[in-house]
Amino acid sequence: MNRALTLHDLIVAGAAITAGALAGLLLRLALKWLSERARSTRWGGDDIVVAALRTVVPWAALAAGAWVGAAALPLTRVVDRTVNQVLVAVLILAATIAAGRMVAEMVRSLALARSGVAASATIFVNITRVAVMAMGFLVLLQTLGISVTPLITALGVGGLAVALALQDTLANLFAGVHILASKTVQPGDYIRLSSGEEGYVVDINWRNTVVRQLSDNLVIIPNAKLASAIATNFHQPEQQMSLIVQAGVGYGNDLEHVERVTLEVAGEVMADVEGGIPEHDSVVRFHTFGESRIDFSVILRTSEYGEQYRIKHEFIKRLHRRYQEEGIEISFPTRNVVLRQEQPDGITLPHQRTLPAPDRTPGA
């Protein structure tokens, strides 16, 4: 434009920019109010969408005000084009950041909904966020007039050198993707490795798997090590698992009576204790004639691996009390120890004493 800059132009431009900033602030407050309402709904997708809009809308309002203000000024063609490119770049950058967050949160919500536990697989979240950010960056370069073809070519050539330098990192990355894709281990599962480490899988990220032990300590396992290890997953094919408790009674007890009382106690525990399966029919199996008792196993059922300790605790307490009420003997092995004492006249007097022997058989 050839005309000179006037005070009226400055006032109009300032008013436009101010109006855009105020509109952005008001829209952000309105979206904050809408976000609080969205938290009260069951569907979590509205929270993600509103959070993304809170990132884009204020910047869009500010950019619109700046564009109107720039249009009111007598700018040259080059300056006008530069201003437009900067405003478009700001919008693309804000939209890319918002889209990256939105997609990442959707992936996180999907993983949480499928696993049903408070765990996450940040490897997929990070991959989707990086992919969205990369596409937005390429769009931004193309909008600014920078050709992306040479950049992609350079990245392709340099990718080989990067891959050679980051062999371990890439091995862990692809191992993590393989673990999640094969569904052998998912966040929230309780696993035990052949090397002895065990616990709940808290997170699987791009480099390692985080396992929380029952003592609340964290074990960090590289994904490549986990993929090649022999592991037991106590949540597959289902979370419910059988719990076997070993016990034993003396030979003088009526085994039919013992079985009936034990099953009654097992049924009470399954119905009353948290983590038990009320519809499970417990089983008693006598299996060994021990040195001083008959050993048997009681098969219970628990909803999850971590609940077995509470169930076993309550079952042993109630079974012991019920056996005392029913007069059922829980025997232990005994030994006869003979002590010989030498007298001054050479006569040896035997003294016999019965001592309880240590119980080496498993049981209650």
Side-chain angles (χ1 to χ4, degrees), residues 46 97 109 114 159 170 173 201 209 218 237 241 265 295 320 324:
D46 51 0
I97 295 175
S109 300
R114 296 185 63 180
L170 292 177
L173 173 62
V201 178
T209 297
L218 296 181
M241 58 171 289
V265 175
D295 297 324
H320 182 264
Q324 289 180 331

Side-chain angles (χ1 to χ4, degrees), residues 1-248:
M1 299 181 66
N2 298 325
R3 68 183 181 86
L5 179 65
T6 63
L7 180 60
H8 179 268
D9 297 333
L10 294 177
I11 294 175
V12 172
I17 295 175
T18 304
L22 290 176
L25 180 60
L26 293 176
L27 288 172
R28 185 171 180 83
L29 292 176
L31 289 172
K32 181 180 180 180
W33 176 84
L34 187 61
S35 176
E36 294 176 355
R37 297 298 179 272
R39 292 193 188 99
S40 60
T41 62
R42 292 185 177 180
W43 184 50
D46 51 0
D47 299 329
I48 299 173
V49 173
V50 172
L53 291 177
R54 290 185 64 185
T55 303
V56 176
V57 171
W59 286 102
L62 182 60
W67 181 81
V68 173
L73 297 175
L75 303 177
T76 62
R77 181 177 300 177
V78 176
V79 175
D80 184 66
R81 178 183 176 185
T82 302
V83 171
N84 290 334
Q85 286 183 338
V86 171
L87 294 177
V88 171
V90 170
L91 289 177
I92 292 176
L93 183 60
T96 300
I97 295 175
R101 291 178 179 175
M102 184 172 64
V103 174
E105 289 300 324
M106 286 184 176
V107 173
R108 192 191 306 275
S109 300
L110 179 61
L112 179 61
R114 296 185 63 180
S115 61
V117 294
S120 62
T122 56
I123 183 172
F124 284 157
V125 175
N126 293 333
I127 288 176
T128 53
R129 181 184 288 116
V130 169
V132 173
M133 296 294 290
M135 289 187 292
F137 180 70
L138 293 178
V139 172
L140 177 60
L141 293 180
Q142 193 70 32
T143 303
L144 295 177
I146 302 174
S147 178
V148 299
T149 303
L151 178 61
I152 296 176
T153 304
L155 290 176
V157 174
L160 180 60
V162 174
L164 293 176
L166 301 176
Q167 292 186 41
D168 294 339
T169 301
L170 292 177
N172 288 318
L173 173 62
F174 289 110
V177 174
H178 169 72
I179 290 172
L180 289 173
S182 62
K183 298 183 179 181
T184 54
V185 175
Q186 297 291 316
D189 290 352
Y190 192 96
I191 63 172
R192 178 187 295 160
L193 303 184
S194 57
S195 54
E197 295 84 1
E198 63 178 274
Y200 290 96
V201 178
V202 177
D203 185 21
I204 301 177
N205 55 46
W206 61 275
R207 182 172 179 80
N208 50 54
T209 297
V210 182
V211 174
R212 179 177 57 85
Q213 296 179 321
L214 294 178
S215 58
D216 278 340
N217 297 323
L218 296 181
V219 180
I220 312 300
I221 306 172
N223 292 332
K225 296 290 185 181
L226 179 60
S228 60
I230 300 176
T232 302
N233 191 335
F234 290 94
H235 281 191
Q236 296 292 342
E238 60 179 353
Q239 281 192 329
Q240 292 187 13
M241 58 171 289
S242 296
L243 170 62
I244 301 178
V245 180
Q246 303 293 340

